[in-house]
Amino acid sequence: MTDLGDREWRLIRDEPRDGAIQMALEEVAGETALEDGVRTVRVYDWEPSTLSLGYRQAADSVDWDFCDREGIDVTRRQTGGGGIYHDRYADISYTIVAPAAEVPGDLMDCYALFCEPILEAFSRMGVDARFADEKQPSIHQPSCYLRDIHPAHDVVVPADDDSTRKLSGNAQYRQRDVVIQHGSLSYDREPERHLGVFADHGLGTDTFTDRVTSIRDESGLDRADAVEHVGDALADWCGAESGTWREDELEAARDLAARKYGTDAWVRDREVLDEASNR
């Protein structure tokens, strides 16, 4: 495998954006990696707070009235798994985008490589985090943070067998010979909203807090410092230079959000209004 540092990478410390744009920017970054040879790592926030559904997640698993009442946006990811409530304050997210030819073809090996900077970021924060040692059963299947814990991609805080708690969920997809990995890091816990976005969950908030921990709970670190650690670890991992989105990328993302990630057709039924690319 080619040394990551031998390639051109940019780090984008992104501004808060809505869920449809955030997902569209990942696809656009994939085009940039293939066409222009610029790979991307970024750290970002969601504004407004957003529920991102897993690719095959049923729309009727969402409490749409709760989301509407609380001002929570809803989009759908390209990756599988359960829904993730990305709180404007309590969630820290990241993306890694690189050509598939430059990274391991084996899924487990690629997860291990792409999660290196995330584990390093936790270490810099003083959080004792690692991949889960073994699977743990699902509590609530529609919720990413309450689904079964998987050693391949779930980062947990070590504890005894009865109280190992999830700290980060990570997922990958491949599109047009590009690998895109994104993940959610729990900075703080918002159990009522994490549960409230799901219909008929029937769970108490203690169920969530028993399974999930956070950077704030584990280290007491200020959020801005935590975000900086994530960005720094991503940059150091691949030798990225600080960068920004080009205007043509933002324009392409706005177009893609308008015909895909921001539409009811995609969010509820995985249908794209216009398959043709305008880029």
Side-chain angles (χ1 to χ4, degrees), residues 32-148:
T32 298
L34 285 179
E35 296 177 5
D36 303 327
V38 180
R39 299 138 197 83
T40 300
V41 290
R42 69 166 176 150
V43 58
Y44 64 99
D45 304 323
W46 306 70
E47 180 62 59
S49 298
T50 301
L51 169 63
S52 71
L53 302 180
Y55 180 72
R56 298 191 182 280
Q57 185 174 346
D60 62 9
S61 66
V62 178
D63 188 330
W64 297 96
D65 289 338
F66 178 90
C67 292
D68 184 61
R69 185 170 64 251
E70 297 296 322
I72 297 169
D73 198 6
V74 183
T75 190
R76 185 180 293 272
R77 306 187 307 272
Q78 289 279 15
T79 50
I84 303 177
Y85 169 64
H86 302 278
D87 189 80
R88 172 64 182 85
Y89 171 79
D91 178 276
I92 299 171
S93 292
Y94 76 92
T95 307
I96 299 173
V97 183
E102 298 175 2
V103 301
D106 179 80
L107 181 63
M108 294 282 283
D109 290 343
C110 198
Y111 269 126
L113 176 66
F114 279 15
C115 284
E116 283 179 4
I118 305 309
L119 293 173
E120 173 62 21
F122 285 133
S123 177
R124 295 180 185 187
M125 296 179 206
V127 178
D128 182 17
R130 67 186 183 200
F131 283 120
D133 290 331
E134 57 186 28
K135 292 183 179 180
Q136 294 186 42
S138 173
I139 296 173
H140 182 61
Q141 194 69 10
S143 169
C144 172
Y145 273 94
L146 297 180
R147 285 168 69 97
D148 51 306

Side-chain angles (χ1 to χ4, degrees), residues 214-230:
S214 70
I215 294 166
R216 185 177 182 183
D217 289 333
E218 297 298 324
S219 70
L221 195 67
D222 181 79
R223 187 183 188 281
D225 292 336
V227 172
E228 185 173 4
H229 280 306
V230 176

